[in-house]
Amino acid sequence: MPNPAAHLPFYYGSISRADAEEHLKLGGMSDGLFLLRQCLRSLGGYVLSIVYKLQFYHYSIERQMNGTFAIPGGKAHCGPEELCEFYSKDADGLCCPLRKPCNRPSSLEPQPGIFDNVRENMVREYIRQTWKLEGDPLEQAIISQAPQVEKLLATTAHEKMGWYHGSISREQAESRLYSGSQPDGKFLLREKKEKGSYALSLIYGKTVYHYRIGQDKAGKYSMEDGTKFDTLWQLVEYLKLKPDGMIYYLKESTPNPDTPTAAMAPSPPAHPSAYTPRRLMSQNSDGYTPEPIGAGKKGRILPMDTSCYESPYSDPEELKDKKLFLKRSSLIIEDVDLGAGNFGCVKKGVYKMRKKHIDVAIKILKSGNEKAGRDEMMKEAQLMHQLDNPYIVRMIGVCEAEALMLVMEMASAGSLNKFLYSKRDDVPVNNVVELMHQVAIGMKYLEEKNFVHRDLAARNVLLVNQHYAKISDFGLSKALAADDSYYLAKTTGKWPLKWYAPECILFRKFSSRSDVWSYGITMWEAFSYGQKPYKKMKGPEVMAFLEEGKRMDCPLKCPPEMYKLMQQCWTFKWEDRPDFALVETLIRTYYYSIAAKTEEQSEETVKTTPA
Ligand code: AMP
């Protein structure tokens, strides 16, 4: 998650209180001289250090549950910069207003914090080890799931640290610390019997000392009368720097003998979904998990928890059997209709592989549709066969038997528009952003491969579950030659005009940029929870509307940032329109910024006191 203070010239990063005071001394000690630094105790928090009457004052700034920033007891602000601007006009409880920023010398970069240094690696390692991912699927998972995983890691990371020994007794802790050498500062952390309570056991002078760590009502950890921390690992990292009331500081950890992996390596997963086998388990038949979005929430199914995140052929054993044509005897067709199209119907089924059976959707060509339908279906199959991305419905193969059949991965929660319409009161807008970000990842992949989809619409985004979308229906798609940037259709056809960019309608010219236009319409459909675009207009009328410079209005619940992105997608001239690489970055940045926010906004208000 980007640090919203990183660009401020008076931000020093993760420096100690003593270092902050040194900088302020060098800055001249005038009243109102101030600097900003990272807080070691609260996740995403800062400390404002100010000089007044030759004294130093340090105020903690906390990132609140709703993503705003506030000095406890003070007004909330959308970022640390806005907060500093506010206090430069009005002291509002501080020792004095902020008068002069104590800027960093030009040679000095902000000091990275402990979590800053390890976060990226921790997220990568956690995803790699928990979901056993490598290569592209790993990279995609990191991009799409970083906010959830980061928050989950932050609150449960201690369980993966070498110094965490779980629920062992005081006697066991002592015996582990006394075994081997006994340097001062050798320590471990253990869970006590009372819920939410822990103990730090530390050797000093060949004697073990035990310190109880409790949790307050807000969930913050501290030793008796000690500094409060959002997470246990922050507390441990802090106590490595200073004893904070203990007999000695923490130095060398005693590795947990039950944890074979080293620190940071996620051993037994703390996340409940990681306990579930890598198949979708705890959801209703319609794939709807009726809990709000929230990082690390119990029962939250991440895309990587599902069986269709990776290709069924990612297992080298299964890869041996991979071919375009599948054996009929490996396919079970159930009498369950998933949908229908011009070509025929889509039925539910099971495909029997060497080691596993997978749920599939089978597109069956109806009889009487022979030659043309057959060619079209084969084209779609050959195109889909070249694609492999977690956010695109994969084709398993085709089967020639009682009919020509296209066998695809199953996305059981149905199309995005229908899902959002039926669950419009239950699905929070953050969830819509999450799904549209996944669509952007899939489309960016298509753009990189020089494929144009030509039918991107909410009806063609299928859901595996409430938090996992896949792009489908490649019936109109084209693979462009390496040197081509667009496909020129010879004739017009039965086209989804409301989703098409002006150059498609005017010149029959299709490119990834025209897919970006359709992505904007898909966004509009998603943020209006399944409404139909340009409701009162007929397809051909839309062009005149667009040429007048008009665009659809912002849907009711749509965040302004997302409407702005839609409008960018609806840039008339394709050359000026963003590509998917940019669209994905923009929606990701927004998604990361809101993923930290939760529904609860009940923060305790505390009187302003120097930290
Ligand atoms: P299509 O012609 O590809 O849009 O498919 C028609 C309908 O069949 C879709 O709207 C879905 O309801 C259903 N369907 C198609 N593919 C799948 C799939 N892979 N998984 C689940 N349902 C599907």
Side-chain angles (χ1 to χ4, degrees):
M1 224 166 281
N3 179 349
H7 66 289
L8 300 174
F10 52 88
Y11 175 66
Y12 285 71
S14 179
I15 59 165
S16 66
R17 176 182 284 221
D19 284 345
E21 294 179 354
E22 274 312 304
H23 286 296
L24 292 169
K25 275 185 205 159
L26 290 172
M29 293 296 283
S30 57
D31 283 355
L33 183 72
F34 70 98
L35 62 78
L36 192 68
R37 56 192 170 95
Q38 196 179 72
C39 179
L40 299 175
R41 300 175 292 105
S42 74
L43 282 175
Y46 299 94
V47 177
L48 188 58
S49 300
I50 316 176
V51 175
Y52 183 59
K53 295 206 162 116
L54 301 179
Q55 296 252 30
F56 299 108
Y57 293 82
H58 302 273
Y59 298 93
S60 65
I61 301 171
E62 294 189 355
R63 188 172 70 182
Q64 324 231 55
M65 300 288 244
N66 63 5
T68 59
F69 293 82
I71 293 176
K75 287 198 178 78
H77 302 271
C78 60
E81 188 175 4
E82 290 77 4
L83 180 141
C84 291
E85 209 180 304
F86 171 81
Y87 284 108
S88 66
K89 291 181 191 129
D90 184 351
D92 200 31
L94 304 190
C95 56
C96 69
L98 306 180
R99 292 218 178 97
K100 186 178 164 212
C102 176
N103 289 344
R104 270 179 286 118
S106 53
S107 57
L108 190 68
E109 284 296 309
Q111 175 76 28
I114 303 149
F115 195 46
D116 294 335
N117 282 334
V118 298
R119 172 169 43 201
E120 219 172 287
N121 249 350
M122 281 174 81
V123 169
R124 175 170 291 274
E125 280 312 301
Y126 184 84
I127 293 180
R128 186 205 300 277
Q129 295 194 30
T130 308
W131 288 282
K132 311 260 180 296
L133 296 173
E134 288 298 341
D136 265 356
L138 173 66
E139 300 310 319
Q140 313 275 1
I142 291 167
I143 288 173
S144 73
Q145 299 306 318
Q148 276 83 353
V149 172
E150 208 171 273
K151 201 160 174 194
L152 175 76
L153 274 176
T155 50
T156 61
H158 61 276
E159 294 176 24
K160 288 123 210 146
M161 304 288 183
W163 41 254
Y164 182 68
H165 287 234
S167 169
I168 57 167
S169 66
R170 177 190 257 259
E171 292 70 32
Q172 275 173 305
E174 291 186 355
S175 118
R176 287 182 186 187
L177 284 165
Y178 284 132
S179 83
S181 65
Q182 296 151 26
D184 290 344
K186 185 178 174 187
F187 75 98
L188 61 81
L189 184 90
R190 59 192 165 87
E191 192 178 5
K192 286 171 68 86
K193 281 206 186 72
E194 313 103 76
K195 213 173 165 289
S197 160
Y198 296 83
L200 254 176
S201 304
L202 164 74
I203 286 199
Y204 182 72
K206 311 279 180 211
T207 306
V208 174
Y209 294 82
H210 302 274
Y211 297 91
R212 185 183 172 279
I213 298 165
Q215 251 183 307
D216 67 9
K217 271 192 269 163
K220 294 200 186 264
Y221 297 98
S222 63
M223 285 189 295
E224 207 177 341
D225 299 327
T227 316
K228 295 191 174 196
F229 298 86
D230 275 350
T231 64
L232 282 169
W233 60 266
Q234 280 177 310
L235 178 141
V236 166
E237 290 300 331
Y238 187 84
L239 296 176
K240 283 183 185 170
L241 300 175
K242 55 178 174 185
D244 202 32
M246 292 191 307
I247 190 143
Y248 198 64
Y249 61 95
L250 305 181
K251 220 168 160 192
E252 187 181 303
S253 66
T254 316
N256 182 350
D258 304 330
T259 311
T261 40
M264 312 290 177
S267 55
H271 173 33
S273 65
Y275 279 119
T276 54
R278 299 182 67 216
R279 278 191 69 75
L280 208 53
M281 289 182 75
S282 52
Q283 55 175 268
N284 303 338
S285 56
D286 63 354
Y288 175 57
T289 43
E291 98 285 355
I293 185 172
K297 279 214 185 286
K298 298 224 182 276
R300 172 86 147 80
I301 298 161
L302 298 183
M304 300 88 83
D305 295 324
T306 67
S307 59
C308 59
Y309 184 79
E310 268 197 288
S311 161
Y313 295 110
S314 60
D315 179 340
E317 271 297 294
E318 302 288 9
L319 188 64
K320 289 178 189 160
D321 287 344
K322 188 179 179 187
K323 32 186 149 26
L324 183 61
F325 285 93
L326 310 176
K327 280 195 279 192
R328 177 65 180 88
S329 55
S330 301
L331 194 62
I332 301 168
I333 306 174
E334 293 174 21
D335 196 16
V336 178
D337 281 328
L338 295 173
N342 291 337
F343 55 87
C345 63
V346 180
K347 285 200 182 283
K348 190 169 182 280
V350 173
Y351 180 59
K352 295 185 276 183
M353 301 183 74
R354 267 186 199 219
K355 286 159 64 180
K356 60 193 169 213
H357 289 185
I358 58 168
D359 291 337
V360 290
I362 310 164
K363 215 178 217 192
I364 306 174
L365 185 68
K366 69 178 167 217
S367 54
N369 204 351
E370 300 322 338
K371 178 80 177 89
R374 203 192 137 77
D375 289 353
E376 253 175 59
M377 200 182 249
M378 280 312 295
K379 264 194 219 156
E380 186 176 348
Q382 264 143 4
L383 188 132
M384 283 181 89
H385 207 56
Q386 302 168 60
L387 304 174
D388 179 8
N389 182 275
Y391 303 106
I392 291 179
V393 171
R394 291 189 189 87
M395 208 219 26
I396 312 297
V398 283
C399 183
E400 269 271 43
E402 56 270 43
L404 182 66
M405 297 177 273
L406 192 77
V407 181
M408 296 168 289
E409 280 178 337
M410 169 76 130
S412 60
S415 58
L416 181 65
N417 56 333
K418 286 192 184 148
F419 182 88
L420 288 178
Y421 187 75
S422 63
K423 314 280 186 217
R424 59 192 175 280
D425 296 327
D426 305 320
V427 177
V429 81
N430 295 9
N431 196 163
V432 180
V433 179
E434 179 187 34
L435 295 169
M436 284 312 300
H437 174 230
Q438 296 173 349
V439 176
I441 299 178
M443 290 307 296
K444 184 175 146 199
Y445 168 82
L446 285 186
E447 179 177 81
E448 282 161 3
K449 293 204 57 129
N450 220 13
F451 280 59
V452 282
H453 188 285
R454 299 181 68 223
D455 200 5
L456 180 61
R459 63 181 173 278
N460 289 330
V461 172
L462 300 182
L463 298 185
V464 176
N465 61 50
Q466 189 183 339
H467 298 285
Y468 190 6
K470 282 179 180 257
I471 299 159
S472 82
D473 203 343
F474 288 80
L476 287 172
S477 304
K478 299 283 171 199
L480 303 183
D483 311 335
D484 290 345
S485 59
Y486 62 88
Y487 162 76
L488 199 62
K490 286 187 196 75
T491 52
T492 48
K494 220 177 137 203
W495 283 354
L497 294 180
K498 290 184 175 177
W499 281 261
Y500 273 4
E503 70 275 13
C504 307
I505 299 165
L506 299 174
F507 311 115
R508 305 190 309 271
K509 213 170 153 178
F510 293 86
S511 63
S512 292
R513 302 292 171 111
S514 54
D515 278 347
V516 166
W517 181 288
S518 314
Y519 178 83
I521 307 287
T522 311
M523 275 183 91
W524 187 93
E525 295 179 274
F527 285 103
S528 60
Y529 287 83
Q531 294 292 325
K532 293 193 169 63
Y534 308 100
K535 216 173 192 169
K536 295 191 185 108
M537 276 180 250
K538 297 230 160 59
E541 291 165 27
V542 172
M543 196 61 232
F545 177 80
L546 297 175
E547 276 176 330
E548 282 171 40
K550 292 182 185 158
R551 299 293 183 267
M552 280 189 284
D553 291 334
C554 181
L556 208 62
K557 288 194 202 164
C558 178
E561 294 86 345
M562 292 293 92
Y563 184 55
K564 189 172 162 214
L565 179 56
M566 267 177 229
Q567 287 175 310
Q568 284 175 269
C569 295
W570 299 332
T571 304
F572 199 91
K573 284 165 93 178
W574 67 270
E575 312 91 283
D576 300 336
R577 214 173 286 149
D579 58 7
F580 276 112
L582 180 59
V583 168
E584 191 276 321
T585 308
L586 293 172
I587 192 164
R588 185 194 333 154
T589 308
Y590 179 67
Y591 169 53
Y592 280 20
S593 79
I594 56 163
K597 302 176 189 178
T598 64
E599 298 70 32
E600 308 113 283
Q601 300 199 354
S602 57
E603 270 282 88
E604 245 184 306
T605 39
V606 195
K607 245 183 126 252
T608 306
T609 44

